[in-house]
Amino acid sequence: MSPTQKSLAECRERGWTCQVVERWIPQARRRIDFLGVIDIIALTGTGILGIQACAGASHAARRTKAMALPGLRAWLECGGVFAIWSWSKRGARGKRKVWTLREERITTEMLP
């Protein structure tokens, strides 16, 4: 399962309404995120959450990229919440490794 699929499953498990908003552009052979940074939009019951879903190894790179985009500031200033959700296999040495979610919320105070 991809990080986006894992994130969708987690949103639904939490009882949220969610939708993938990233698009595949066949002519360019690339994916385009909503505002350049959001893969999933979730309605949480307390607000609207934009999620950047990724593998654990690329968490820091995704944070750096997201914080540099003007679309993220616009999203946050309009009342949206943004978080990076990264997935990696973790567990004690010698034990079974399980997929683990790392959530990092980004706020306007964190932006340059």
Side-chain angles (χ1 to χ4, degrees):
M1 259 185 8
S2 72
T4 300
Q5 291 171 320
K6 286 180 185 65
S7 297
L8 279 173
E10 178 67 22
C11 287
R12 291 179 179 135
E13 188 175 304
R14 294 180 185 194
W16 299 346
T17 301
C18 55
Q19 180 71 45
V20 175
V21 292
E22 148 187 91
R23 308 184 311 267
W24 171 251
I25 308 297
Q27 298 84 353
R29 293 189 175 138
R30 58 184 281 201
R31 296 192 184 284
I32 305 294
D33 296 340
F34 178 68
L35 299 177
V37 70
I38 297 173
D39 296 327
I40 299 168
I41 293 179
L43 307 176
T44 66
T46 59
I48 186 166
L49 172 65
I51 301 170
Q52 171 62 241
C54 62
S58 63
H59 187 101
R62 298 295 175 97
R63 179 188 331 105
T64 301
K65 176 188 170 191
M67 292 174 70
L69 293 172
L72 178 57
R73 179 175 296 280
W75 173 264
L76 295 171
E77 288 176 350
C78 289
V81 177
F82 177 75
I84 300 168
W85 285 17
S86 60
W87 294 89
S88 55
K89 281 197 166 184
R90 299 194 183 254
R93 172 177 259 160
K95 300 289 183 181
R96 180 174 166 258
K97 309 300 186 235
V98 294
W99 286 108
T100 305
L101 171 62
R102 174 182 172 196
E103 297 179 58
E104 181 182 10
R105 185 173 169 186
I106 306 295
T107 62
T108 53
E109 294 79 28
M110 298 168 71
L111 299 178

